[in-house]
Amino acid sequence: MEQQTDTKVEQKTIRTGLIDCDVHPYPRSTEEIRSYMKKPWRDRYNGGGRGFFGNPVQGDRVDARPPQGGSSGSDPDFLRKQLIDEYGHAYAILMPRAFCNLHPDPDFGTAIAAAYNDWLADTWLSKYNHDGVFKGSITVNTQDPLAAAREIERWAGHPHFVQVMTDSGARSPFGQREYYPIYEACEKFGLPFAIHPGTDGMGINTQPSPGYPTHYIEWHTCLSLGFQSHLVSFMTEGVFERFPGFKIVLVEGGVSWLAPLMWRLDAEYKALRSEVPWLKRRPTEYLRDHVRITSQPLERPDKDDHLLQIFDMMDAEHLLMFSSDYPHWDFDSPTRAFPKLPEALRRRIFFENALEFYKL
Amino acid sequence: MEQQTDTKVEQKTIRTGLIDCDVHPYPRSTEEIRSYMKKPWRDRYNGGGRGFFGNPVQGDRVDARPPQGGSSGSDPDFLRKQLIDEYGHAYAILMPRAFCNLHPDPDFGTAIAAAYNDWLADTWLSKYNHDGVFKGSITVNTQDPLAAAREIERWAGHPHFVQVMTDSGARSPFGQREYYPIYEACEKFGLPFAIHPGTDGMGINTQPSPGYPTHYIEWHTCLSLGFQSHLVSFMTEGVFERFPGFKIVLVEGGVSWLAPLMWRLDAEYKALRSEVPWLKRRPTEYLRDHVRITSQPLERPDKDDHLLQIFDMMDAEHLLMFSSDYPHWDFDSPTRAFPKLPEALRRRIFFENALEFYKL
C-alpha cells in the first residue's frame, strides 16, 4: 500500500502493489467530450449509440456514484479513494468507453476517438494524475485503420498512454489485413493493442452469434465468443509473424476458454498448416510473446481446484493480468475475486505480468 | 466385438461394444436424393449450396472411398467393414448431410429434408440394416418450424430413427421461440434434438463471428462458437423449463469449452437471474437432464492430465458420448483419439451414456 507521490512522468519507478488492467474513467458530462470536437461532429455527438443491451439490474456498482454527484467513474478523487487507496493499486490502466467504431461514417467515429484521447490526456493523465497512478489507452476507430494509425502516431511518446484500445465489435475479424496499418503503428511505437467488449452487433458491426441474442445475460455471456474469433483470426492470419513486435491484450473477454480454444486450434493446425504457411510455430506458441488476457470477469467454478487447473492449462503465470472493471456492476475485488493462489503466481497475475507487458 | 444378427427391429437387445454418435452416410449420387422429391424441387435440387469453405487438404479420409466406386460413406458394406467390424460398434448414429436450412425458400429446404429422410429410411435404416446397427436422424429444416414438426411426426415411432437433427447455421439462436414447434414435437415423441456443424454463414444464415473468417482452419476452429451461442440461448430462454422432456445433443461442436462457458453463465445467472425468472435452477444444473455432447473432434492438450481434468470439470462421466465422424478427414479413432481412461469412465463415454440417452 505504498504511497507514490513522484510526479515526474519520465522517471521509471518500480512500484509495488497491484496493477489493475481495466478501470473505466468517464467524462463528467457528454459536453466534456463534445468540447474537444470540431464541427460538424460537435453538433452531432450526443454520447448515444451504445446499443440496446442495457444491464437490467444495475450497470455500475451501486456504491460507485461519487457523493459530489456525476456518474460512476467520473470523479478521480472518489475513484482514487474507493479503488486505488482501498486496494493499494500501483497503476490503473484506464479504458475509456468511447463506443466509436460502430458509426456508418468513419470520420465521425474517428472524431469521437480523438476527442476521447484529448480529454483523457488533459484530465486523468495529467490534471488528475499527480501520483502517476493512471495509465491510459489510446482509443482508435478500427473502421478507418489509416486514420487510427495517425491517431496512434499523434500520441506516441506520451508518458502515460501505454496501449491502443478498441471495442470488440467489428465487421471482420481483427486478424484481417485491412487493420494492418493499426498494427504497424502499434509495433512501431511499442504499444500493445487492447480489445474490450463493446459495439458487437451495434451500428454497422455484425453480431458474432447465430442471429441476435434476446437477453442481456445471454449477450453478456457470449461476449467472450467474439474475442475467441478475433484471437483465432490473429493467429491464422499470421499477424504475429507479419508484425513480430506486435502484442495484444484481451480485456474483459473471459479467461477459462483460452486453453480449450488453443488446443482446438493447435489440432487444426497439425492437419491444415499448409493453408497457413506463414505460421512458423504452433498457434499456442505465439501466446507468451504476443498475447495477454485480463482476469475480470473471472469464472469461478464450484471447486477452486478447477480454476487452478485452468490457470495451469492456460499458462496464467505468464498470460493473465488482474483487472477489476471498476466501476462496473460486475467489479472483481482484488481481495475476493480469486481463490487462494500460490504467492508467486498471485504476484505474477496481480503485478509482474502487467509490469513487464506495459514496461511500467 | 459381438456379432448381432437379430433383425427384428422392435426387440430391444442390450448390445456391448461401442456406440458411435456421428457417422455420415452419403447417397450414392445426387440423383438418389432427387428421386425422392416431387417437382419443382426435383428439377431444382443439384446437391449444391454447401458453401465456399472446402477443406483445402482432404474432405474425407483418403482410405474411405469405397473400392467399388462412389463417394466416401456411400457404401454400407464398405463402411461396415471399415468402421463397424473394425472397432466393434454396437450402434452407429447416422447423421446425413442434407444442408437444407440455408435456402431463402423454406419449402425447398423442407423438401430436401423430407427427401433425405425418405432415402435414409429406405436404405441405411432398412435395406442395409440387417444387423440393426444403424440408427438414424430425422433431418428437419429449422427455417420452417411448423413443417419441421410435421416431418418429425411423419417419422415418429419408426424403430430406427432415434433423434431429430439440424445443421448449426441459423438466423437466430436455437433457444428462441420460433423454433418451439420443433421442440414440442421432439418432446412429444421422445426424440433428442441434435445439432451438427453446417450452414453457418451460408445462404440466409448469419455468420456467428465478427464478420467472415478467411480460411478453412479459422472457420473450422470457430465452429464451436456457434454451438456455444446456441447452448446459452437454450439455457437463458428457459427451453428446458418449457419442455421438461426435451433433450439436445451437441455433435462435433467441440468438447473442452463446455465447463468454462457454463461457469461464466452460472456467474452471470447469479447476478442477473431476475432477467430470466423462468429458470428454476443454475444453468449448469440443467446439463445432466437435458444436454449431451459428442467427443469428436476431441481436443488433445500436450498433457493428458489436462484433458482428464477437463472431463472432470464438465461431468464427462454423464455428458460425453463417443463419436468418430467417419468418414471425414478428422475422424477420431475409437482406439487412438483418447488418452488412457479409467475403465468405468471409458465405458460411460463409449457406450453407456449413449445407450441411456437414446434408449437403445
Side-chain angles (χ1 to χ4, degrees), chain A residues 21 72 103 228 271 289:
Chain A
C21 296
S72 303
H103 295 279
Q228 296 181 51
D289 290 341

Side-chain angles (χ1 to χ4, degrees), chain A residues 181-290:
Chain A
I182 301 175
Y183 309 151
E184 191 177 8
C186 286
E187 184 186 49
K188 180 175 174 186
F189 299 113
L191 294 164
F193 182 71
I195 305 171
H196 184 282
T199 77
D200 290 282
M202 298 177 189
I204 59 172
N205 293 328
T206 65
Q207 170 59 35
S209 54
Y212 273 84
T214 309
H215 300 100
Y216 179 87
I217 184 175
E218 179 185 3
W219 174 80
H220 202 254
T221 300
C222 291
L223 279 174
S224 64
L225 306 183
F227 277 74
Q228 296 181 51
S229 286
H230 285 313
L231 179 60
V232 172
S233 175
F234 277 118
M235 290 285 178
T236 56
E237 297 280 357
V239 173
F240 304 127
E241 286 291 345
R242 288 171 203 257
F243 304 103
F246 178 63
K247 294 165 197 274
I248 65 171
V249 51
L250 307 175
V251 180
E252 201 179 347
V255 172
S256 300
W257 53 260
L258 182 64
L261 179 76
M262 295 305 297
W263 295 340
R264 181 168 172 123
L265 181 56
D266 278 352
E268 305 271 350
Y269 176 72
K270 197 170 166 186
L272 301 168
R273 58 200 301 169
S274 66
E275 198 187 19
V276 286
W278 38 81
L279 293 190
K280 302 206 174 81
R281 296 186 274 169
R282 282 204 308 171
T284 293
E285 293 172 23
Y286 289 97
L287 289 173
R288 207 181 280 190
D289 290 341
H290 296 278

Side-chain angles (χ1 to χ4, degrees), chain A residues 176 212 214 220 237 282, chain B residues 176 212 214 220 237 268 302:
Chain A
Q176 292 188 13
Y212 273 84
T214 309
H220 202 254
E237 297 280 357
R282 282 204 308 171
Chain B
Q176 294 188 12
Y212 273 84
T214 309
H220 202 254
E237 298 279 356
E268 305 270 351
D302 292 341

Side-chain angles (χ1 to χ4, degrees), chain B residues 288-303:
Chain B
R288 208 181 279 188
D289 290 342
H290 296 278
V291 179
R292 294 296 179 274
I293 191 164
T294 68
S295 62
Q296 182 277 340
L298 185 67
E299 298 89 355
R300 286 300 298 270
D302 292 341
K303 296 181 186 174

Side-chain angles (χ1 to χ4, degrees), chain B residues 28 31 224 296 326 337:
Chain B
R28 293 186 192 270
E31 184 52 36
S224 63
Q296 182 277 340
Y326 181 91

Side-chain angles (χ1 to χ4, degrees), chain A residues 90-104:
Chain A
Y91 297 102
I93 311 292
L94 302 182
M95 305 285 282
R97 306 300 301 116
F99 284 72
C100 67
N101 71 338
L102 50 66
H103 295 279

